[in-house]
Amino acid sequence: MVAAPDPVLASPGRSPAASPRLGLRLVFSLLITAVIVVLVSRRVDAIPDDLRVPLWVVPTYLGTLLLYFVARAGRWWFLVRPLGAVPPATVLAIACAGFLWILLLPWRLGEFVRPLLLARGSTIPFSQALGTVALERVVDGLLVCGMFFAATAALPAAPALATLYTACLGVAALFGAALLVLLALAIWPRAAGELVRRSLGRLAPGLAERLAGLARGVAEGLAALPSARPLLLFILLTLAYWAANALGMWLLAVGCGVPLGLAETFAVLAVLNLTLLVPGPPAHLGTFQLGVLGGLALFLPPGLIADRGAVFAFYLYVCQLALIVALGLPASLRLRWGWRETLAHLRGAPLHGPAA
């Protein structure tokens, strides 16, 4: 038996319109990359001349990164489990492949790969799987904002921190509103599709029908959320992976000769991830470095940032890039997912479930 194609992805009329939009996004992302790389290169060397660090630094940081990615991938299983029977090893492989495609594709288009893979490899519809990813992103956004608020509360007041604090309040408000929307979808799943159909149906009936199907699926996925205990484990694993991330960054900073305390490291981590919320180029090239240097600029003088701060940013980026590829490439090969499948589904090709 073959699962029915997801109505949002299987609509035959989407490919011609979707392809130019995808191409425009790719071109625009390359332009953004060029601008950001030029801006960053004026402040620091992308590849510093002196990359020497103690021998323990890179292996230790890679070890904390491995814990970070395993916890980040593992927590998703607690949201997927109530939607259908999927082995934990399969969820872990899909999550690792998803990390790779988030890295490879611009404008965070890679976020769609996990739901696509889960829909292809199980009876869970794409739209329901997308709801779990949306919940993850909202929880992470709120946690990053909370991390910034907690870190800045433990640090001396500074004008730059005050400005970022105000901006972070706005971001937290947006994520809080998004959480309320997700909760409303979970409580009233049937109303979501009807609301979209009635509000947009008169202007664009075809688009309204597709969006209504997506909204209903997301709502049904959220409505099937697990009970309090699995949700608590999801939150605990989320806290664990952010803690592992901050610990690794602090150890790397110490090894690179960057004088950051734990509170300052949490602030830099928050600034980096707030920067990465903005859809940008493949591999976060430029935006990643901009976020790291912006966070360091809150606490360190320009000369130190240009010297040891550049070394810290280099290893931070290269190690994360290397581990994402090391975990994601074998997972993608095992799942038989490559560029052809990714681009085809992003253009709206039909998605079929597994044979039963």
Side-chain angles (χ1 to χ4, degrees):
M1 181 178 179
V2 177
D6 191 289
V8 178
L9 293 175
S11 178
R14 295 184 73 236
S15 292
S19 297
R21 287 199 298 267
L22 182 60
L24 286 174
R25 288 178 179 179
L26 291 172
V27 171
F28 194 47
S29 71
L30 292 176
L31 293 175
I32 292 176
T33 302
V35 172
I36 293 176
V37 167
V38 169
L39 291 174
V40 171
S41 62
R42 289 180 177 178
R43 299 179 61 183
V44 299
D45 292 329
I47 303 178
D49 294 330
D50 185 4
L51 288 171
R52 289 176 297 178
V53 294
L55 292 177
W56 62 268
V57 174
V58 172
T60 301
Y61 181 54
L62 287 173
T64 62
L65 275 182
L66 185 61
L67 292 175
Y68 160 73
F69 282 116
V70 169
R72 183 180 172 187
R75 65 170 183 163
W76 190 40
W77 184 70
F78 293 107
L79 300 181
V80 169
R81 186 172 60 174
L83 301 180
V86 186
T90 300
V91 173
L92 189 65
I94 291 174
C96 289
F99 298 155
L100 177 65
W101 290 101
I102 290 172
L103 183 77
L104 292 176
L105 293 172
W107 295 84
R108 302 199 72 88
L109 289 173
E111 296 284 7
F112 291 101
V113 170
R114 272 192 298 161
L116 285 168
L117 282 169
L118 190 61
R120 192 185 71 163
S122 71
T123 58
I124 300 172
F126 166 82
S127 50
Q128 290 189 15
L130 185 62
T132 64
V133 174
L135 181 61
E136 274 193 347
R137 297 285 70 78
V138 169
V139 169
D140 281 339
L142 289 172
L143 192 57
V144 166
C145 292
M147 189 163 52
F148 179 80
F149 295 143
T152 53
L155 296 169
L161 284 176
T163 303
L164 278 174
Y165 193 93
T166 303
C168 197
L169 280 175
V171 174
L174 289 175
F175 278 111
L179 181 61
L180 292 178
V181 170
L182 293 179
L183 289 174
L185 288 174
I187 296 172
W188 299 291
R190 293 184 178 180
E194 290 301 318
L195 179 62
V196 172
R197 185 180 291 107
R198 291 180 181 180
S199 59
L200 192 60
R202 295 181 181 180
L203 298 175
L207 177 62
E209 189 62 34
R210 290 193 293 272
L211 290 178
L214 178 61
R216 281 197 306 271
V218 170
E220 289 168 2
L222 293 170
L225 285 177
S227 59
R229 183 174 179 274
L231 273 178
L232 178 61
L233 291 174
F234 165 76
I235 297 296
L236 288 176
L237 272 178
T238 300
L239 293 172
Y241 97 69
W242 282 110
N245 199 356
L247 175 63
M249 281 187 68
W250 177 69
L251 290 171
L252 181 63
V254 170
C256 291
V258 177
L260 288 180
L262 276 175
E264 293 165 334
T265 302
F266 271 104
V268 173
L269 177 59
V271 172
L272 168 60
N273 281 275
L274 288 171
T275 305
L276 296 180
L277 289 175
V278 180
H284 304 303
L285 182 62
T287 53
F288 187 98
Q289 288 80 3
L290 196 63
V292 174
L293 297 175
L296 293 178
L298 298 173
F299 311 108
L300 303 177
L304 184 55
I305 294 174
D307 182 17
R308 302 313 297 172
V311 176
F312 170 69
F314 174 82
Y315 281 115
L316 196 70
Y317 181 73
V318 170
C319 288
Q320 292 196 24
L321 195 70
L323 197 56
I324 288 173
V325 172
L327 295 174
L329 185 57
S332 293
L333 292 174
R334 174 193 165 190
L335 297 166
R336 297 182 179 179
W337 188 270
W339 280 105
R340 180 181 300 176
E341 292 79 9
T342 301
L343 295 177
H345 290 306
L346 288 176
R347 289 168 178 162
L351 182 68
H352 298 284

